[in-house]
């Protein structure tokens, strides 16, 4: 096989792989969730009563805050 043909096939293959990678790479967009469309959210299980107020776990909130701070670039 000639070198020019091999280069052409390699270029076509590399472009095909790059285009497939771009097509498969999907990043979620920032969206605002409204309370008007409640059917988009998952319903609560029957075992959970609607009258009980959910209390946030402060340790989990602290962990999430610490992880978010660790993702920032240090300047």
């Amino acid at each position: 096989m000639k070198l020019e043909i091999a280069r052409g096939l390699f270029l076509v293959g590399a472009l095909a792989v790059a285009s497939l990678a771009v097509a498969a790479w999907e990043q979620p967009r920032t969206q605002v969730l409204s309370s008007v469309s409640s059917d988009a959210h998952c319903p609560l299980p029957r075992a959970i009563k609607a009258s009980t107020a959910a209390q946030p776990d402060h340790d989990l909130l602290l962990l999430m805050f610490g992880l978010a701070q660790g993702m920032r670039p240090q300047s």
Side-chain angles (χ1 to χ4, degrees), residues 4 9 14 19 25 35 41-42 48 53 59 61-62 64-65:
E4 293 84 12
L9 289 176
S19 63
W25 185 16
S35 62
H41 302 291
C42 295
I48 298 176
D59 293 334
L61 291 175
L62 185 62
M64 290 176 63
F65 177 74

Side-chain angles (χ1 to χ4, degrees), residues 6-20:
R7 281 186 189 165
L9 289 176
F10 178 74
L11 180 64
V12 168
L15 288 176
V17 169
S19 63
L20 284 175

Side-chain angles (χ1 to χ4, degrees), residues 12-40:
V12 168
L15 288 176
V17 169
S19 63
L20 284 175
V22 168
W25 185 16
E26 178 185 340
Q27 290 186 347
R29 298 182 188 138
T30 56
Q31 297 178 2
V32 176
L33 297 176
S34 66
S35 62
V36 175
S37 62
S38 62
D39 58 344

